[in-house]
Amino acid sequence: MGWGKRSILSAAVTVVCAVTVLGAPGTAFAAPSPGPSASPTPPPGKDLERVREKLDELYHDAAVATDAYNAAEERTKQQSAQIVALARKIDEGQRELARLKDQAGAAARAQYRTGGIPPTAQFLLSDDPGQVLDGAGLVLQGQRATKSLMSELTSTQKQLQAYAADAADQWKRLDAERRAKAAAKKRIQQQISAAEKLESDLEKKDKERLARLEEQAALKAQTDWLDTGILKKIHGKASAQGEKAVAFATAQLGKPYVWGAEGPKSYDCSGLTSQAWAAAGHPIPRTSQEQWKQLKHVDMKDMRPGDLVIYFDDASHVAIYIGDGAIIQAPRPGRTITVAGAGSMPILGIVRPDA
């Protein structure tokens, strides 16, 4: 895909953004100007603006809680895998301990059969001193083997105790992460329910005006970003993996946002970006905050398709840059994966998965 100049996808994106995508909040491309015969739209009231701001706040808080939920989910998966690995080690250790105990028991039974007489006494009492000397050598070897056996037995027992203690610790951590997930889930549901209640209380005309307010806010933010002349500085070309990540994200357009989801039927914001890069053969962290922490930061002027745009001061939202000032994102509950303006939300920074 020739990302150095406007591609077929970019051209299509521009058309879609100009005509239809503006119907979804978070999108920011130039809207067509109304003709002379267009009816004037009454200015929205301050109360409706406060509703819009409150909705933004509620959905932002839900996004923060979603990141916490996803992080706890990832840690739960890791701890579950560690517990399984420890269980296997404990099982192997118990079988080894049983083998060593059998070996020690066999040695004890053999000593009992010889009466446990020291080699010196056997030499003095025997009619064949040569045979006794040979036997004494074997006894010495047996003593060394017994000492080694007991040392191995003790070591195996200590390993088993360590594995058991580690497993108990992992179970405690797993339980803590499950509680963290449950608390985050409750916060998400509370924020979304409050937002839905706030919207459901509006009359139809106010809902329409609210949608226009959201569009206008996103459009203004995108216009302000473009007015900085940033696009004149961005000429990066997508890597091969970046192209694959963009292609994956493009194929998900229209699928619903669902918090905690990572495909294939629905996604949240970081679920989409992490799966896009997994499809490109380059796994990245699951959450937007970890993507911001762990991936390489790049200057905005060096941005290229496939890079991730991180939003808000707390890195609570992420989208994938597709070129020409546009992103693909999973916006929020109640919306679908869509194309939007890269500057339609406050940008924290840019990260590159395949740096």
Side-chain angles (χ1 to χ4, degrees), residues 198-269:
L198 189 59
E199 288 186 286
S200 68
D201 288 343
L202 296 174
E203 294 182 6
K204 182 180 178 181
K205 64 179 182 179
D206 286 333
K207 288 180 181 179
E208 292 171 352
R209 290 167 66 195
L210 179 63
R212 286 197 296 272
L213 269 180
E214 292 176 337
E215 293 166 10
Q216 290 165 8
L219 180 59
K220 183 181 183 305
Q222 174 72 356
T223 301
D224 290 345
W225 183 67
L226 293 176
D227 284 348
T228 65
I230 185 64
L231 281 191
K232 295 178 182 178
K233 302 175 184 178
I234 300 175
H235 303 291
K237 182 179 179 182
S239 65
Q241 285 186 315
E243 286 187 352
K244 290 178 182 178
V246 169
F248 179 91
T250 302
Q252 312 314 310
L253 287 170
K255 292 183 179 180
Y257 175 105
V258 174
W259 62 266
E262 47 187 334
K265 294 182 179 180
S266 57
Y267 299 84
D268 62 21
C269 68

Side-chain angles (χ1 to χ4, degrees), residues 273-297:
T273 55
S274 61
Q275 289 302 305
W277 274 97
H282 192 94
I284 62 174
R286 169 65 176 88
T287 69
S288 58
Q289 291 177 348
E290 288 304 310
Q291 288 169 8
W292 174 244
K293 288 178 185 177
Q294 296 186 35
L295 302 180
K296 180 178 174 59
H297 293 203

